[in-house]
Amino acid sequence: MKDTSVILLAAGASSRMGQPKLALPFGGRTALEHALLAFLQVEDSPVLEIILAVSPQTQDLAAGLANQYGALLPIRVCMGGATRGDSVFQALQLARGDVVCIHDGARCLVRWSVIQASIQAARAQGLSLIHISEPTRPLYIS
């Protein structure tokens, strides 16, 4: 059942890095591409759509990824806000899923097993919003 919207946050300023960290090459891809692929590479996934909340610095990268991988799953890009909360709010306006999974694009090594367990736990508890931030534990919000 495809009922889960994924929000990948990619609107941070990367102020400590001095450059957009999501655009840096890492293992032959950018960090944002690795994060995106974590949600795309699984058959029979409950993921209905992916929404990339971006900054002006990551907008072109995100648009390119949406074009490259959009045949696999609908991928939309929206401008984030001044804060993380603003970015989540902007992306939530576009989400169509019964369950919404929020993930920080900078956490690009998230494993599908963590994603899947988080979505299943949210469903089991009747929750509609999950924030996954591996290596820490998922945060479930009703």
Side-chain angles (χ1 to χ4, degrees):
M1 159 177 37
K2 294 202 177 285
D3 66 346
T4 303
S5 295
V6 172
I7 295 173
L8 274 180
L9 298 173
S14 298
S15 57
R16 291 178 298 204
M17 289 288 291
Q19 59 184 317
K21 62 186 166 200
L22 294 176
L24 293 175
F26 176 68
R29 296 187 161 107
T30 64
L32 183 58
E33 187 174 5
H34 281 290
L36 179 64
L37 288 174
F39 291 90
L40 288 177
Q41 293 185 335
V42 178
E43 290 190 32
D44 298 325
S45 163
V47 177
L48 168 72
E49 63 183 348
I50 297 176
I51 302 161
L52 301 171
V54 302
S55 67
Q57 292 81 13
T58 57
Q59 185 175 14
D60 289 343
L61 171 62
L65 292 172
N67 286 333
Q68 182 177 352
Y69 294 108
L72 300 173
L73 198 67
I75 301 171
R76 291 183 281 164
V77 177
C78 74
M79 288 306 293
T83 67
R84 180 185 190 90
D86 293 338
S87 296
V88 170
F89 180 79
Q90 294 299 328
L92 281 172
Q93 304 311 303
L94 301 176
R96 297 176 297 155
D98 295 331
V99 175
V100 177
C101 177
I102 302 167
H103 184 66
D104 185 341
R107 310 262 188 237
C108 61
L109 298 179
V110 64
R111 295 181 315 268
W112 175 250
S113 60
V114 172
I115 296 166
Q116 184 178 35
S118 299
I119 293 170
Q120 289 173 347
R123 279 199 197 115
Q125 296 297 314
L127 303 177
S128 57
L129 187 63
I130 315 160
H131 179 259
I132 300 175
S133 184
E134 192 181 41
T136 59
R137 293 171 298 196
L139 172 64
Y140 302 99
I141 305 168
S142 62

